[in-house]
Amino acid sequence: MTRALITGITGQDGLYLAELLVSKGYEVFGLIRGQNNPKYDLVRQTVPGVTLLTGDLTDVSSLVRVLAAAQPDEVYNLGAISFVAYSWENASLTSDVTGKGVLNVLEATRLYAATTTSEVRFYQASSSEMFGKVQQVPQTEATLLWPRSPYGVAKVFGHYMTINYRESYGMHASSGILFNHESPRRGPEFVTRKVSQAVARIKLGLKDEIVLGNLDAKRDWGFAGDYVEAMWLMLQQPEADDYVIATGKTHSIRDLLAAAFAAAEIDDWERYVRQDERFMRPAEVDLLVGDASKARERLGWKPRVDFESLVGMMVENDLAEQSALVR
Ligand code: NDP
Ligand code: GDR
């Protein structure tokens, strides 16, 4: 049985990846942090066979202990402070968790790998936020990185550290440069879920407006369930490498609003939307659109869910969830 360790198992991607690996017959271990983590039961209910081990990305000795207990063949480092807006408010903490945390997991993995004869493979959750003020359209693995937030800067550190461990120690360490991916499991602080939840509440008469920041930013949005497959595929390759994972299509926040309100059969979305400085960022990433040709050619990966279906899936889920809450 192949053994995998997932950091960030309580997050959106961690849950989808755990489900995927269990379906492939893996024995799955998850790193869970904090005293009495509120997501503990959610993980147990969603993926019952998974073993949860306590540790924190900022505490390298806890990672060494978790690696020794899990004895993984594959390590997926998905844990991070992942909300870009929050990273300005807590830049130092974000650097510790999202940046130096990667080094901590790499080092714990290297130390563990030295105790076993089998190869240990490593996946790093890099991000399109690293492209920031984009220097090329669409963005590829070769595009110059120009991060625009403390989060983006921390991800660049983790990205290059992963490449450095590959080059310094010959570690099978791959980095997935994933563009935005969403689902009904997306945290409510991110714009897609904020919109899908608000649209559902407006449709049910529980709310009459949604307050947002920049409506002109454009993102390349895909479905999280498709993107975790790419993570797994990267670790099945004979050689480790870096891959852009994206749909190749970009949409503005306005397009998102139009699609979400249309999915709930509400016309004239503009009358429900208000902009507020509170949700504007000190520096914005205006346009992201990825070129995933390398992943298509080498991994045989392509996205299955398009933008309209993704938004429809999220609105439908939130209509059901919000109706259940008022019942
Ligand atoms: P989430 O925010 O949903 O999940 C983040 C996870 O990190 C949670 O499980 C959280 O645990 C965990 N975590 C936070 N701090 C620590 C810590 N100090 N020690 C251990 N674990 C910690 O993110 P996603 O699932 O959306 O994303 C997964 C990864 O992919 C992240 O690294 C993200 O930055 C990256 N990424 C995401 C993209 C996306 O569009 N979703 C695109 C590109 C990259 P807890 O529940 O305890 O807080
Ligand atoms: P992002 O996702 O910053 O791209 O990072 P988010 O959904 O937070 O923002 C996308 C765009 O929407 C604009 N926006 C708003 N965003 C939020 N959250 N709330 C609002 O009210 C709002 N109004 C407008 C933002 O300014 C931005 O342009 C996500 C995270 O998952 C990262 O961890 C990941 O690395 C990247 O995607 C790829």
Side-chain angles (χ1 to χ4, degrees):
M1 225 180 183
T2 311
R3 298 162 74 94
L5 171 66
I6 303 173
T7 75
I9 195 159
T10 58
Q12 170 189 256
D13 292 8
L15 286 175
Y16 280 112
L17 181 64
E19 284 175 332
L20 178 75
L21 297 181
V22 166
S23 77
K24 290 184 183 296
Y26 277 56
E27 181 159 10
V28 177
F29 297 81
L31 178 84
I32 188 151
R33 72 175 171 130
Q35 189 178 330
N36 193 19
N37 190 308
K39 300 254 186 84
Y40 190 92
D41 289 341
L42 172 73
V43 180
R44 299 235 57 107
Q45 282 156 17
T46 313
V47 265
V50 168
T51 305
L52 293 173
L53 301 166
T54 306
D56 195 293
L57 291 171
T58 59
D59 180 343
V60 76
S61 63
S62 75
L63 299 173
V64 168
R65 191 171 33 74
V66 163
L67 263 291
Q71 305 204 349
D73 303 292
E74 297 176 5
V75 176
Y76 295 86
N77 184 38
L78 311 187
I81 288 178
S82 77
F83 187 35
V84 174
Y86 176 84
S87 78
W88 275 279
E89 288 158 28
N90 292 272
S92 177
L93 182 63
T94 304
S95 305
D96 287 345
V97 177
T98 305
K100 186 151 178 265
V102 183
L103 171 59
N104 292 344
V105 188
L106 279 165
E107 189 56 11
T109 304
R110 186 177 76 85
L111 293 173
Y112 165 67
T115 68
T116 165
T117 47
S118 53
E119 186 181 47
V120 184
R121 299 187 169 191
F122 182 90
Y123 173 84
Q124 168 56 19
S126 287
S127 164
S128 53
E129 272 295 300
M130 301 190 307
F131 296 121
K133 188 176 176 186
V134 298
Q135 301 296 300
Q136 194 183 1
V137 179
Q139 295 86 51
T140 74
E141 294 79 5
T143 302
L144 181 70
L145 305 180
W146 196 301
R148 296 269 279 172
S149 62
Y151 168 84
V153 173
K155 281 287 178 189
V156 170
F157 175 87
H159 181 66
Y160 282 125
M161 201 49 89
T162 303
I163 294 171
N164 186 255
Y165 266 61
R166 182 164 78 218
E167 293 179 353
S168 304
Y169 303 113
M171 196 188 266
H172 193 295
S174 292
S175 178
I177 308 172
L178 271 54
F179 282 61
N180 298 53
H181 45 279
E182 320 292 315
S183 72
R185 289 177 180 162
R186 189 57 144 154
E189 65 274 36
F190 299 96
V191 75
T192 52
R193 190 76 197 284
K194 184 172 171 180
V195 167
S196 66
Q197 275 187 343
V199 166
R201 290 179 66 78
I202 289 167
K203 177 76 179 176
L204 297 169
L206 302 169
K207 191 177 165 85
D208 53 19
E209 70 168 4
I210 168 167
V211 186
L212 293 168
N214 178 10
L215 304 185
D216 298 315
K218 291 182 159 182
R219 290 291 182 275
D220 180 332
W221 277 297
F223 171 53
D226 290 345
Y227 284 41
V228 298
E229 277 190 47
M231 299 177 187
W232 176 77
L233 282 167
M234 283 178 219
L235 297 208
Q236 311 318 307
Q237 304 309 304
E239 302 293 332
D241 209 336
D242 309 317
Y243 297 90
V244 160
I245 301 297
T247 69
K249 299 203 172 81
T250 194
H251 296 273
S252 66
I253 313 300
R254 287 176 202 281
D255 298 336
L256 168 69
L257 286 160
F261 277 95
E265 295 171 339
I266 303 174
D267 302 325
D268 193 14
W269 62 266
E270 269 138 335
R271 81 186 175 93
Y272 297 100
V273 177
R274 184 161 64 81
Q275 279 183 283
D276 192 312
E277 277 294 320
R278 233 170 359 121
F279 296 107
M280 301 286 188
R281 298 178 179 183
E284 181 60 281
V285 170
D286 296 319
L287 164 72
L288 290 174
V289 55
D291 175 355
S293 310
K294 181 174 167 184
R296 194 170 55 244
E297 284 154 23
R298 305 223 189 134
L299 306 177
W301 179 85
K302 62 173 180 351
R304 294 197 187 93
V305 178
D306 67 15
F307 174 72
E308 281 74 22
S309 313
L310 172 65
V311 176
M313 176 202 303
M314 293 177 71
V315 170
E316 193 183 325
N317 169 79
D318 282 322
L319 278 168
E321 246 182 55
Q322 294 296 326
S323 318
L325 283 177
V326 289
R327 232 180 271 135

